[in-house]
Amino acid sequence: MQYSTILGIESSCDDTAAAIWQNGKILANITAGQAVHEQFGGVVPELASRAHQSNIIPVIEIALKKAGIDGKSIDAIAFTRGPGLTGSLLVGINAAKGLAMGWNKPMIGVHHLQAHVSALFIDNPNPQFPVLCLLVSGGHTQLLLVKNYMDMEIIGSTLDDAAGEAFDKGAKLLGLPYPGGPHIDKLSKLGNPKRFHFQAGRVAELDFSFSGIKTSLLYFIRDNKEENPNFISENLQDICAGYQNSIIEYLISKTEKAIQQHKPASIGLAGGVSANSGLRTAFENLSEKHDINAIVPAFEYCTDNAAMIAAAGHYLLESGESTSFNALPFARG
Ligand code: KG4
Ligand code: ZN
């Protein structure tokens, strides 16, 4: 392997992360979150860039230290080039450029969503292709047919909100902190998932629509609060469990449709929402039902992290790619 040690850097949204990949193993995977956004109920881009700026160097230093590696032993630097918040991406790109120049090593820009898919291969380096991947994050919801490590086709995507947004916006309506997904997950474990049902958008084939489900939660809360002002606090666990279960059933039904249409060799679950315990169980059940191998990454590789960036960088570098020092970030794509 030409590039046996790779530093990965991720800064696309509100997590500053660095990881060390060496010959297929992750030696360190460090992420600094940004509590500053909690009080605003969502990510504030300017504050995110500033927090990245203060975190990026310490996070890289901690990753190198944890891996027991001197910067000069790094063979290449992988960084998230997009999509994401431009100011946040710039911090990671500039850190990568500075280190690549200082160490005289190549760098490789990585597509954030491709990297989420690469997370599948960190602990499963030789999957059976094609892998049908359900990618569910805060910004994207897609079904992808992954034919090889870096060769993937989008076969379904959301027409409006992402699954993570449905969790976060639903949590906000219930008065839970941002990001709401993990809070809904935790409360759902104590509730009855069958008491309340919320309808997600009915859209064709393998596409998704999540804007309707949060509106249905909004009206449900409004109507019930008219009769009982304490309705949320008295029923919070059941509301969370019903809302989460409705999202999961919707995601699973679309994935099942894709299995029937595309007959993949394996199925994989990626992106921040794949940390959801109910979704993980439902995904495993789906794989048993269809007698198909399921790849569900470890929690630390689900939400935004730099291990997946380093892993994606490895596949790109091995295929002969590299990125020039003139590279700019891309916000969408
Ligand atoms: O992949 P990610 O870390 O960032 C993006 O690329 O968007 O995904 C973040 C999303 C947020 O919407 C967050 O609420 C959701 O992942 N999330 C969860 C859980 N953990 C994170 N959603 C449901 N259950 C969880 N346990
Ligand atoms: Zn992400």
Side-chain angles (χ1 to χ4, degrees):
M1 233 178 274
Q2 197 183 348
Y3 303 100
S4 50
T5 309
I6 300 172
L7 165 66
I9 297 174
E10 153 65 29
S11 70
S12 64
C13 189
D14 59 341
D15 288 307
T16 320
I20 309 294
W21 178 103
Q22 189 172 65
N23 295 322
K25 297 255 173 307
I26 300 297
L27 303 186
N29 185 31
I30 308 295
T31 304
Q34 302 182 354
V36 64
H37 307 289
E38 266 171 32
Q39 58 189 304
F40 301 101
V43 177
V44 184
E46 181 56 32
L47 294 179
S49 325
R50 286 171 198 226
H52 282 306
Q53 245 164 348
S54 18
N55 291 344
I56 191 97
I57 297 300
V59 163
I60 292 170
E61 279 175 348
I62 294 168
L64 287 168
K65 195 165 173 209
K66 171 132 194 261
I69 288 218
D70 181 81
K72 298 202 175 61
S73 327
I74 297 288
D75 297 315
I77 298 155
F79 62 94
T80 308
R81 191 164 171 192
L85 301 169
T86 306
S88 294
L89 290 165
L90 272 171
V91 177
I93 294 186
N94 285 332
K97 286 180 183 174
L99 293 173
M101 278 183 196
W103 293 335
N104 196 23
K105 293 292 154 64
M107 48 179 218
I108 180 80
V110 170
H111 191 289
H112 183 82
L113 297 177
Q114 285 196 335
H116 271 300
V117 175
S118 298
L120 297 178
F121 311 131
I122 293 176
D123 290 327
N124 293 277
N126 297 302
Q128 284 178 287
F129 291 107
V131 181
L132 172 72
C133 179
L134 173 65
L135 170 55
V136 271
S137 75
H140 294 81
T141 299
Q142 293 178 340
L143 277 163
L144 300 126
L145 200 58
V146 184
K147 296 160 195 168
N148 213 320
Y149 299 100
M150 282 289 124
D151 178 7
M152 50 197 84
E153 180 194 346
I154 300 170
I155 55 171
S157 51
T158 182
L159 306 178
D160 40 55
D161 288 353
E165 271 177 292
F167 273 102
D168 296 340
K169 289 178 179 174
K172 199 170 178 182
L173 294 173
L174 295 169
L176 298 170
Y178 178 87
H183 296 280
I184 292 192
D185 190 358
K186 207 167 151 198
L187 288 159
S188 293
K189 288 184 185 146
L190 307 166
N192 173 2
K194 298 287 174 198
R195 190 169 151 216
F196 304 121
H197 179 75
F198 301 91
Q199 188 60 51
R202 290 200 177 90
V203 289
E205 295 299 317
L206 304 179
D207 286 336
F208 303 84
S209 165
F210 282 103
S211 65
I213 196 165
K214 94 190 165 236
T215 313
S216 105
L217 176 65
L218 175 74
Y219 292 153
F220 170 82
I221 293 171
R222 186 197 59 189
D223 295 347
N224 280 287
K225 272 176 84 172
E226 272 174 21
E227 288 179 19
N228 173 10
N230 299 326
F231 179 76
I232 292 184
S233 57
E234 286 172 10
N235 298 282
L236 185 59
Q237 294 164 351
D238 286 352
I239 304 172
C240 285
Y243 189 67
Q244 172 171 303
N245 191 49
S246 304
I247 295 175
I248 293 173
E249 281 182 357
Y250 186 61
L251 290 170
I252 293 292
S253 74
K254 294 284 183 175
T255 310
E256 184 156 35
K257 195 175 251 185
I259 293 176
Q260 285 154 351
Q261 283 182 12
H262 292 273
K263 313 239 172 324
S266 334
I267 54 174
L269 186 58
V273 180
S274 66
N276 185 272
S277 52
L279 179 59
R280 292 166 88 88
T281 307
F283 204 77
E284 299 281 4
N285 293 342
L286 182 68
S287 90
E288 273 174 34
K289 181 176 167 192
H290 289 271
D291 194 18
I292 190 168
N293 179 41
I295 311 171
V296 180
F299 281 109
E300 63 174 317
Y301 305 139
C302 291
T303 44
D304 285 349
N305 67 87
M308 68 182 193
I309 305 300
H314 153 71
Y315 293 117
L316 291 168
L317 288 160
E318 289 303 310
S319 67
E321 289 193 37
S322 67
T323 301
S324 88
F325 283 122
N326 302 327
L328 293 171
F330 58 90
R332 292 172 187 280

